[in-house]
Amino acid sequence: MFKVLVSDPISDLGISLLVEASDISIDKKTGLSEDELVAIIGEYDALLVRSQTRVTDRIMTAGKQLKVIGRAGVGVDNIDLEAATKRGIVVINAPDGNTITTCEHTFAMMMALARHIPQAYLKTVGGEWDRKSFVGVELRNKVLGVLGMGRIGSEVAARAKAFGMTVLGYDPFLTEERAEKLGVRLASVDDVVREADFITVHTPLTPETRHMIGKEQFCRIKKGVRIVNCARGGIIDEQALVEAIDAGIVAGAAFDVFEEEPPKPDHPFLKHPKIIVTPHLGASTVEAQENVAIDVSEQLLHILRGEPYKNAVNMPPVPADVLSKLEPYFTLGRKLGSFAAQSAEGAVKEIVVGYSGELADVDTQPLTRYVVQGVLSHHLGSDQVNAVNAMHLAKTRGVNIVVNKSQASKGFTNLVSVTLRTGKEERTVAGALLNGFGERITQIDQYPVDVSPEGHILLISHHDKPGIIGRVGTCLGSNDVNIATMQVGRKLAGGAAIMVLGVDKAVPKEVLSQVAALTDLVSAKEIQLV
């Protein structure tokens, strides 16, 4: 008999699978303090929580029998994943349970925005019969731009087509083939900004997506556009949006999320006549709350019974002898994947991971997961991707994973290489662990280098001409950007070359643009590795 503790309020229907199971004994004890949980957790095999209970290292230390922790929802920031992994406790969540409800809330906000429903309601119940002030627009024959074509974005696109809308889809992993299957037109962010009558965002919040629609985009956005955000606060620059609405550029906006939640009483969205707001209700339906509980209960049962399971969010067990050989390369693999993703242009179609030397004789699947995690995290966010779900996320995004092994050491005891093949290009980065030096990037495309994979890095492609290094240094120095390290690589004198600069801080976009505009430069990209 397995004992399960439910420590947060969860509907009986949501955990009915556990209640009805003959081999499960379930207790519901909510509102417990950490001390109270520590006192009783030792007798349980599983713990089921929502967001209220913080599952700490101390609680897991006391949970000598704990095999699994289930989170009835998506985010697991209330669970110490590192502590769980060290103790061999599987942590699972329910990433699909709120897809439909968030999609439907997006459409509710879009319809309310198009027809001024909240504003008209307030006037009507206030005793004023005003029909002239609330002339709306139809969705039919309008262009909808969907930024983020994952689970939720794809569902929104499907419903928009039913409304007779033309859909432009942007996603860093969206290929022409997948866009065609979804019935959308593959577009860039700039395409969406220039052409869409409605824009809805469904991306995670990452350094790349933060303010992806900001002052620059509002300068060239289609006049009269309406914007919906039921994803994450910060994807759209709130202040720039208000200014664009007041200037008559944007017709209105509907937001379920804010950069700071709850927003301050003087937040400009709260009293603006052309902005509709709700208090982060995207996943707040009876069905969604039940669905996430049902999903996580089902997986919890599989784990306790020793059956195959999915949606784990921490590292699965790896044999000790294999782990001892691979673990030193986990961070390097993740950084190589991240470097490749930040340097490549276009939707990723294939990730080729190469192992040379002694690693060719080891089961490198756990290490491959870290490489893929590094690639996907750049676009999907580090809080959304981990070493367990990376392969599954790659599959759902249509990204092919190829692993090649070779005994040839190429001058290193072990060498890990990552090649990204996109719709536009192919980029390669390789690295190794060097005695006395630690992690090093040893190759970028066809150029041999020796770079420490950390901090802020500028990757510059240029023509090998006299004075180019000086011009780059002068440009950065005049903008208060200090160069800490420099590597250059070339194959032939006067031909194509690269420059890899380690800098002390993030380089502002406008400075990067100045560098890229220098004579004989081909491109300049900032890469951040943590």
Side-chain angles (χ1 to χ4, degrees):
M1 181 73 70
F2 298 108
K3 295 194 67 175
V4 178
L5 175 62
V6 179
S7 63
D8 286 334
I10 296 176
S11 71
D12 289 336
L13 179 60
I15 58 173
S16 59
L17 283 174
L18 300 176
V19 174
E20 296 168 4
S22 60
D23 55 346
I24 297 291
S25 171
I26 188 167
D27 292 328
K28 294 182 70 173
K29 299 180 181 179
T30 61
L32 299 177
S33 66
E34 183 182 39
D35 287 340
E36 290 170 326
L37 263 173
V38 167
I40 65 172
I41 195 65
E43 61 185 276
Y44 292 97
D45 300 282
L47 176 62
L48 183 55
V49 303
R50 285 190 58 78
S51 58
Q52 294 92 324
T53 299
R54 299 201 63 80
V55 189
T56 62
D57 184 15
R58 181 169 169 241
I59 290 171
M60 284 180 269
T61 300
K64 302 296 184 183
Q65 296 183 191
L66 273 181
K67 302 173 181 65
V68 55
I69 298 168
R71 163 70 164 96
V74 180
V76 290
D77 55 334
N78 58 317
I79 301 171
D80 189 331
L81 294 182
E82 184 177 353
T85 300
K86 287 180 179 179
R87 288 168 176 74
I89 301 171
V90 179
V91 180
I92 55 174
N93 68 347
D96 301 320
N98 62 1
T99 298
I100 299 302
T101 195
T102 304
C103 165
E104 291 184 353
H105 191 68
T106 298
F107 249 89
M109 295 287 270
M110 197 184 308
M111 294 293 290
L113 183 60
R115 302 304 297 271
H116 309 291
I117 292 173
Q119 297 93 330
Y121 166 80
L122 285 174
K123 267 202 171 182
T124 305
V125 298
E128 189 173 351
W129 188 258
D130 180 6
R131 299 178 66 192
K132 294 181 180 180
S133 300
F134 302 114
V135 178
V137 296
E138 294 182 356
L139 299 188
R140 184 173 64 97
N141 294 331
K142 298 300 189 300
V143 176
L144 173 65
V146 182
L147 300 179
M149 290 294 295
R151 294 185 305 270
I152 297 170
S154 297
E155 292 288 348
V156 169
R159 284 155 179 76
K161 289 171 60 185
F163 273 79
M165 303 183 82
T166 298
V167 181
L168 305 182
Y170 164 78
D171 191 283
F173 298 101
L174 184 63
T175 61
E176 288 279 4
E177 295 82 2
R178 184 163 177 264
E180 186 175 349
K181 288 181 180 178
L182 293 171
V184 307
R185 195 182 99 204
L186 180 62
S188 66
V189 175
D190 197 53
D191 292 333
V192 169
V193 166
R194 291 180 183 276
E195 300 179 39
D197 301 296
F198 289 82
I199 295 175
T200 178
V201 295
H202 299 285
T203 71
L205 180 63
T206 69
E208 188 178 53
T209 63
R210 183 173 182 79
H211 291 181
M212 69 187 302
I213 299 183
K215 288 186 178 181
E216 181 183 344
Q217 288 70 35
F218 286 122
C219 287
R220 57 180 184 271
I221 205 164
K222 184 175 182 180
K223 188 173 182 179
V225 69
R226 291 169 171 83
I227 297 175
V228 179
N229 185 4
C230 293
R232 288 288 184 269
I235 297 173
I236 296 168
D237 186 332
E238 294 176 350
Q239 185 57 44
L241 172 61
V242 172
E243 292 172 2
I245 294 175
D246 291 343
I249 299 169
V250 175
F255 272 55
D256 185 46
V257 291
F258 296 81
E259 293 194 36
E260 179 184 342
E261 294 185 359
K264 293 179 179 178
D266 61 348
H267 193 289
F269 281 17
L270 301 184
K271 294 183 180 180
H272 201 291
K274 294 184 178 180
I275 299 178
I276 300 167
V277 294
T278 50
H280 208 143
L281 299 179
S284 296
T285 62
V286 172
E287 292 86 352
Q289 302 302 318
E290 291 177 348
N291 286 339
V292 293
I294 290 170
D295 288 351
V296 79
S297 294
E298 182 179 17
Q299 297 311 310
L300 189 147
L301 276 177
H302 288 318
I303 292 172
L304 292 178
R305 292 170 176 171
E307 300 168 351
Y309 59 90
K310 61 180 181 179
N311 297 336
V313 294
N314 62 336
M315 190 65 187
V318 179
D321 58 329
V322 175
L323 183 62
S324 65
K325 295 177 181 178
L326 296 181
E327 191 170 24
Y329 293 89
F330 285 167
T331 302
L332 173 65
R334 178 179 56 78
K335 289 181 177 181
L336 291 176
S338 179
F339 190 104
Q342 294 179 64
S343 65
E345 295 285 347
V348 179
K349 292 185 175 182
E350 188 168 72
I351 304 172
V352 181
V353 186
Y355 299 108
S356 303
E358 296 175 359
L359 284 176
D361 298 324
V362 182
D363 179 4
T364 53
Q365 184 179 5
L367 178 52
T368 301
R369 291 176 176 273
Y370 277 92
V371 173
V372 176
Q373 176 191 0
V375 174
L376 301 188
S377 292
H378 173 61
H379 298 293
L380 303 181
S382 57
D383 60 334
Q384 301 293 317
V385 188
N386 54 66
V388 176
N389 66 11
M391 304 299 278
H392 172 71
L393 289 175
K395 182 178 180 181
T396 61
R397 297 275 174 165
V399 178
N400 189 40
I401 310 296
V402 177
V403 176
N404 295 325
K405 293 187 176 184
S406 172
Q407 296 290 341
S409 64
K410 303 180 182 180
F412 301 94
T413 304
N414 290 299
L415 187 71
V416 181
S417 66
V418 182
T419 298
L420 291 194
R421 291 171 180 157
T422 77
K424 294 184 177 180
E425 61 181 351
E426 179 175 304
R427 301 301 298 264
T428 296
V429 60
L433 297 181
L434 303 184
N435 288 334
F437 296 95
E439 302 165 354
R440 310 299 289 184
I441 294 175
T442 59
Q443 178 187 341
I444 299 175
D445 295 327
Q446 72 268 36
Y447 307 105
V449 295
D450 180 12
V451 175
S452 176
E454 60 183 359
H456 301 280
I457 297 172
L458 288 188
L459 176 60
I460 298 173
S461 298
H462 62 96
H463 300 295
D464 183 31
K465 298 289 183 67
I468 185 64
I469 293 176
R471 290 197 294 274
V472 170
T474 299
C475 181
L476 293 175
S478 63
N479 285 282
D480 196 33
V481 177
N482 188 53
I483 298 174
T485 61
M486 173 181 286
Q487 279 277 305
V488 293
R490 69 179 188 181
K491 283 293 186 179
L492 296 172
I498 64 169
M499 196 184 308
V500 188
L501 308 178
V503 294
D504 289 343
K505 63 180 182 180
V507 180
K509 290 183 179 180
E510 58 272 19
V511 176
L512 201 59
S513 297
Q514 291 178 32
V515 173
L518 293 173
T519 304
D520 293 321
L521 253 75
V522 178
S523 67
K525 298 180 179 180
E526 182 181 19
I527 293 171
Q528 297 185 38
L529 298 177
V530 293

